[in-house]
Amino acid sequence: MINTQFKQYDYYRYSTSNSYGQPTINTNEPPVGTVKLAINIITQSVTDSILYKDASYIALTWDKDIDDTYAVIYGTEVLKVLYVSAPNKFKLRQVYLQKVC
């Protein structure tokens, strides 16, 4: 069941811009908050849309505030939210994530 996969993950928000004008996060500061996600690896390449073609993880969440400014801490990896789909009939949102570094 999917409910057993949901876990709380810390997240940061992309906000400040670096010298090139690209948004960055500061992982030296404490996380902004936590978000409850069920994260899974995408086993096949997603090429349907430019919005999430580079995604390597997919997650489900009940969170209504999650958007593409989130960076989720997944173990030792930082995963950037690429795209959040509209809620389905069960009010779950699909979140496409990409490993940052």
Side-chain angles (χ1 to χ4, degrees), residues 10-13 26-33:
D10 292 331
Y11 72 89
Y12 294 93
R13 301 280 310 242
N26 186 357
T27 56
N28 295 330
E29 295 179 5
V32 175

Side-chain angles (χ1 to χ4, degrees), residues 13-28:
R13 301 280 310 242
Y14 279 86
S15 57
T16 58
S17 296
N18 63 12
S19 59
Y20 298 104
Q22 297 173 326
T24 59
I25 57 173
N26 186 357
T27 56
N28 295 330

Side-chain angles (χ1 to χ4, degrees), residues 25-43:
I25 57 173
N26 186 357
T27 56
N28 295 330
E29 295 179 5
V32 175
T34 61
V35 62
K36 195 171 191 177
L37 297 167
I39 299 176
N40 290 290
I41 295 175
I42 295 177
T43 57

Side-chain angles (χ1 to χ4, degrees), residues 46 48-55 68 81-84 96:
V46 178
D48 294 335
S49 173
I50 192 74
L51 295 172
Y52 48 84
K53 73 174 187 71
D54 295 327
D68 61 355
V81 173
L82 296 178
Y83 178 73
V84 180
Y96 292 89

Side-chain angles (χ1 to χ4, degrees), residues 1 3 5 8 11 17 21 24 26 33 35 39 53 55-56 60-61 72 77 79 82 91 94 96 99:
M1 302 312 244
N3 284 336
Q5 292 184 357
Q8 292 284 353
Y11 72 89
S17 296
T24 59
N26 186 357
V35 62
I39 299 176
K53 73 174 187 71
S56 51
L60 294 173
T61 186
V72 178
E77 300 174 341
L79 305 178
L82 296 178
K91 298 192 172 135
Q94 285 184 328
Y96 292 89
K99 189 188 311 186

